[in-house]
Amino acid sequence: MTDHVQVSVLGLGAMGGALAGALVKAGHPTTVWNRSPGRADDLVALGARNAGSAGAAVLAGPLVIACLLDHASVHEVLDPIAGELAGRTLVNVTTTSPAQSRELAEWAARAGIAYLDGGIMAVPGMIGGPGSSILYSGSAEVFEQYKPLLDLWGTSTYFGQDAGLASLYDLALLAGMYVMFAGFLHGAAMVAPAGVTAGEFASMAAPWLSAMTGSFQGFAAVVDGGDYTVAGQQSLEFSNLNDLVAASAEQGVSTEVIGMVQTLVRRQIDAGHGQEGFARIIESIRNFPKDV
């Protein structure tokens, strides 16, 4: 890849604007387009070129970045200009499901477009800074060719030719994040009636939850080994959360968050696995009853 690549960015929401800004600041000639006007002004002031249409933006160079609202919006914007995209490279970092990412890869292949799918593990303010990570799958050739440019946004990790893998990892990681956030907010709600502010609770919760992430590798080893009787685990019976559920109710707090975990635990206990380790709740998740 040459030092400076002519690149076009379609979609200038908070994330698209951050991605385009990093490219402009790194010296890449950058053309930008957004469906609604006004979003490009700050980028133009930095040196970007504002295109009057998505088609004009695409024609500006060989590399096109799509950071749009959703899967439907990608097709709404790109279907009419598939001819202009033919022979070019499309890196789609719009949040999509694995199936949608694979569909877009197939669409791109039919149109003669080289395709790479990306999942952004960062908020806009993190782009180009510590902790920003972007997951990719699809064309290995595209990833290798443009990796120096992609690395401007964050650590780039490639998962293989299956265009749906980056999205799968992205959404799986977000699943863990949102459940953790819900758990923190549940705890904050529990202590609030006692006059404890959310800020005070956060000062205790953050180091505790950070320390608990050290358990992930132990859980992973048990799950990968398929033996939930390995010594040293906290048993499901010991992990029974009845007291926690009751305490939540006594505080006037909804039990939905912690009740969800208790349901997974009880399903395994009721199946006769109470003496086995907590990691076994993954079997409740994997084999969720289809009629529930």
Side-chain angles (χ1 to χ4, degrees):
M1 189 188 80
T2 57
D3 289 341
H4 292 112
V5 178
Q6 175 66 57
V7 56
S8 301
V9 179
L10 308 180
L12 300 177
M15 184 59 76
L19 299 177
L23 298 174
V24 174
K25 291 172 185 176
H28 292 283
T30 305
T31 299
V32 296
W33 172 84
N34 194 67
R35 194 192 306 265
S36 55
R39 290 288 183 88
D41 294 349
D42 290 344
L43 291 166
V44 170
L46 290 174
R49 173 179 172 269
N50 188 23
S53 68
V58 164
L59 292 174
L63 176 62
V64 177
I65 311 299
C67 187
L68 300 164
L69 178 63
D70 54 20
H71 178 256
S73 68
V74 174
H75 275 300
E76 288 170 7
V77 171
L78 299 187
D79 282 357
I81 57 172
E84 288 91 333
L85 273 167
R88 302 176 196 275
T89 294
L90 172 64
V91 178
N92 177 45
V93 291
T94 305
T95 299
T96 52
S97 71
Q100 290 170 339
S101 296
R102 293 178 184 118
E103 185 277 329
L104 285 167
E106 292 169 0
W107 171 87
R110 291 193 300 271
I113 304 163
Y115 184 83
L116 185 68
D117 200 85
I120 301 175
M121 305 308 300
V123 296
M126 293 171 61
I127 295 300
S132 179
S133 174
I134 320 290
L135 317 179
Y136 296 98
S137 58
S139 170
E141 293 78 10
V142 169
F143 179 76
E144 289 302 325
Q145 180 180 0
Y146 291 108
K147 189 176 184 299
L149 181 148
L150 302 176
D151 284 342
L152 293 171
W153 298 333
T155 302
S156 302
T157 305
Y158 178 70
F159 289 98
Q161 294 279 352
D162 179 353
L165 281 177
S167 173
L168 180 61
Y169 270 92
D170 179 13
L171 296 179
L173 289 166
L174 288 174
M177 180 193 77
Y178 279 112
V179 173
M180 178 186 70
F181 285 171
F184 162 72
L185 293 170
H186 178 93
M190 283 186 71
V191 298
V196 180
T197 67
E200 290 170 334
F201 182 67
S203 68
M204 297 192 67
W208 164 249
L209 293 175
S210 294
M212 289 303 96
T213 62
S215 302
F216 289 174
Q217 288 299 331
F219 285 143
V222 171
V223 170
D224 289 341
D227 182 2
Y228 302 105
T229 66
V230 173
Q233 300 182 75
Q234 179 173 301
S235 74
L236 284 160
E237 288 182 348
F238 186 83
S239 303
N240 191 308
L241 305 181
N242 281 337
D243 288 344
L244 208 165
V245 173
S248 298
E250 289 166 5
Q251 291 296 96
V253 171
S254 167
T255 61
E256 290 173 285
V257 172
I258 199 65
M260 173 269 294
V261 182
Q262 175 70 333
T263 296
L264 300 175
V265 170
R266 286 303 322 176
R267 192 174 295 147
Q268 292 304 310
I269 292 175
D270 292 345
H273 303 293
Q275 293 300 309
E276 298 180 38
F278 180 80
R280 191 181 176 92
I281 70 166
I282 195 173
E283 299 300 334
S284 294
I285 298 168
R286 284 172 169 167
N287 301 302
F288 188 72
K290 297 298 187 291
D291 59 346
V292 172

